């Protein structure tokens, strides 16, 4: 049986690639996309997700809009440097055909909680944006969220420098309160952070076969991916942060070391957003966080390229 998945995104180029990758997984059924502020505003994340799903012929996948800013309390101002990474429209300035669809009426967190109650251990939640929507789903119905098979989060930088500050990774930094609420829920959490995503970098060579396809889907996806890998780290390539979280959810062995640990999130000061061992829980034998430290990057890049190729062919 296919595993049902919900992808919580701030679409974003690597989010768009994660959606595409998820659609290509034979072992998964994407039952919904939930959106959040982050790389872009939540409106743009919703629009990009709808446009992309329709372009890929998957207008059957519903999109639920979520938080507009940290705690869903204030409007989000997109940080200047993000335009360089994701383009002015979040997907590398690539114009996707405009979907006629709208987001669903239900809020992202309602959908998440209801789906968890309905599908229980048939469902995995994969969160690849700030953790606001997940925190709100937990607030709404902690018991329901606890019924799902697994929660996988793209977030954190434990053994490497952060990407927003030297201490913090973007998804955690963008709503530190939400991240701590999610941790405080006592649920088991699987974190795919920069420690591993920076080991899954793509360059033009890796996706050459996408370029050779002669159709609109492939053209748009290739263009967005090339914007990302030529801009994020200039020469080195683009880290597949969000697609790796999808892979780790469905095939946890891609992460060759999951570190069991109890972490907390620093809430303020220069270290705001840093995830660090929670000393109050140091002697607690039960470790709730499973933090990815090592990855089979080569295998991932191959699987990813091939799976996306099938979707866009
Ligand atoms: C994470 O932040 C976002 O910019 C990316 O889409 C990814 O989810 C990387 O820190
Ligand atoms: Ca993201």
């Amino acid at each position: 049986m296919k595993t049902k998945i919900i992808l919580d995104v701030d679409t974003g180029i690597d989010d768009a690639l994660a959606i595409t990758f998820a659609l290509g997984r034979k072992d998964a059924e994407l039952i919904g996309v939930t959106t959040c502020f982050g790389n872009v505003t939540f409106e743009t994340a919703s629009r990009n997700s709808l446009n992309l799903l329709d372009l890929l012929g998957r207008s059957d996948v519903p999109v639920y809009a979520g938080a507009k800013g940290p705690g869903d309390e204030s409007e989000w101002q997109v940080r200047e440097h993000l335009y360089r990474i994701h383009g002015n429209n979040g997907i590398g300035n690539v114009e996707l055909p405009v979907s006629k669809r709208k987001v669903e009426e239900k809020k992202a967190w309602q959908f998440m909680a209801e789906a968890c109650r309905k599908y229980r251990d048939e469902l995995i939640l994969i969160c690849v944006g700030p953790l606001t929507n997940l925190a709100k789903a937990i607030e709404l119905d902690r018991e329901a969220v606890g019924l799902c098979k697994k929660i996988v989060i793209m977030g954190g930088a434990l053994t490497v420098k952060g990407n927003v500050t030297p201490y913090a990774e973007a998804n955690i930094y963008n709503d530190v309160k939400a991240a701590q609420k999610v941790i405080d829920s006592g649920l088991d959490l699987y974190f795919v952070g920069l420690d591993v995503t920076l080991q899954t970098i793509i360059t033009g060579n890796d996706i050459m076969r996408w370029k050779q396809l002669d159709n609109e889907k492939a053209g748009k996806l290739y263009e967005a991916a090339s914007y990302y890998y030529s801009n994020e780290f200039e020469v080195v390539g683009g880290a597949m942060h969000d697609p790796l979280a999808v892979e780790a959810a469905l095939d946890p062995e891609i992460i060759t070391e999951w570190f069991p640990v109890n972490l907390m999130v620093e809430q303020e000061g220069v270290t705001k957003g840093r995830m660090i061992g929670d000393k109050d829980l140091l002697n607690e034998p039960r470790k709730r966080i499973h933090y990815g430290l090592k990855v089979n990057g080569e295998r991932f890049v191959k699987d990813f390229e091939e799976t996306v190729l099938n979707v866009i062919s």
Side-chain angles (χ1 to χ4, degrees):
M1 199 173 56
K2 290 187 178 193
T3 304
K4 297 188 189 326
I5 55 177
I6 293 176
L7 252 183
D8 187 54
V9 290
D10 56 334
T11 322
I13 299 175
D14 63 321
D15 303 76
L17 292 170
I19 293 173
T20 312
F21 181 52
L23 292 176
R25 294 289 305 214
K26 294 204 166 54
D27 50 356
E29 178 194 350
L30 182 61
I31 64 161
V33 168
T34 53
T35 64
C36 191
F37 71 95
N39 292 323
V40 288
T41 63
F42 84 100
E43 286 106 335
T44 305
S46 303
R47 185 45 41 214
N48 288 345
S49 304
L50 287 165
N51 291 350
L52 177 70
L53 285 163
D54 285 14
L55 173 71
L56 298 176
R58 294 302 308 270
S59 47
D60 57 306
V61 179
V63 175
Y64 299 83
K68 60 178 180 289
D72 193 35
E73 277 156 17
S74 52
E75 292 291 330
W76 179 243
Q77 289 298 323
V78 177
R79 279 187 215 98
E80 204 54 40
H81 79 279
L82 287 169
Y83 296 122
R84 194 174 55 84
I85 301 172
H86 297 278
N88 294 333
N89 66 354
I91 38 171
N93 302 329
V94 176
E95 293 293 331
L96 298 184
V98 179
S99 162
K100 290 197 178 68
R101 289 200 289 152
K102 290 205 168 76
V103 293
E104 306 295 313
E105 297 244 308
K106 232 172 247 176
K107 294 300 284 187
W109 43 87
Q110 271 176 300
F111 172 66
M112 279 176 164
E114 285 174 19
C116 287
R117 192 165 286 286
K118 184 165 173 195
Y119 297 116
R120 300 176 174 234
D121 62 359
E122 289 169 30
L123 173 69
I124 299 181
L125 296 181
I126 308 173
C127 301
V128 298
L131 295 179
T132 323
N133 290 343
L134 178 59
K136 288 186 78 69
I138 290 170
E139 222 169 79
L140 187 69
D141 194 345
R142 151 75 175 78
E143 191 193 75
V145 178
L147 295 172
C148 78
K149 182 173 180 183
K150 209 190 278 186
I151 300 172
V152 179
I153 292 166
M154 191 283 128
L158 213 58
T159 60
V160 292
K161 261 188 169 174
N163 58 359
V164 179
T165 75
Y167 303 99
E169 180 281 329
N171 289 340
I172 302 298
Y173 183 88
N174 286 344
D175 193 345
V176 287
K177 280 194 194 141
Q180 188 60 49
K181 273 189 196 158
V182 168
I183 290 174
D184 288 343
S185 70
L187 295 169
D188 269 74
L189 304 168
Y190 290 80
F191 276 86
V192 175
L194 299 183
D195 315 71
V196 281
T197 64
L198 291 178
Q199 296 181 55
T200 54
I201 299 224
I202 61 157
T203 63
N205 279 341
D206 296 311
I207 58 168
M208 198 56 85
R209 292 198 294 172
W210 301 3
K211 190 181 183 184
Q212 284 154 4
L213 294 171
D214 184 20
N215 71 59
E216 190 182 22
K217 306 188 262 197
K220 300 283 184 194
L221 251 287
Y222 178 80
E223 214 187 308
S226 0
Y227 184 94
Y228 181 72
Y229 68 64
S230 45
N231 281 273
E232 189 179 20
F233 298 105
E234 262 103 43
V235 209
V236 192
M240 291 299 98
H241 307 293
D242 297 350
L244 183 61
V246 174
E247 171 100 357
L250 296 166
D251 180 5
E253 284 175 12
I254 198 74
I255 303 293
T256 50
E257 186 178 345
W258 288 105
F259 174 43
V261 61
N262 288 319
L263 296 172
M264 56 169 276
V265 176
E266 306 254 30
Q267 297 291 307
E268 52 194 20
V270 279
T271 56
K272 179 178 161 187
R274 172 165 75 161
M275 292 180 76
I276 191 161
D278 185 340
K279 69 174 169 20
D280 293 341
L281 297 177
L282 206 52
N283 294 316
E284 169 65 48
R286 180 89 170 82
K287 311 294 183 201
R288 297 278 181 193
I289 290 181
H290 313 271
Y291 194 95
L293 288 183
K294 290 189 186 152
V295 62
N296 187 340
E298 214 175 302
R299 172 156 83 78
F300 169 73
V301 171
K302 271 200 198 124
D303 288 357
F304 168 73
E305 186 274 339
E306 176 103 25
T307 306
V308 172
L309 183 80
N310 290 332
V311 178
I312 61 181
S313 288

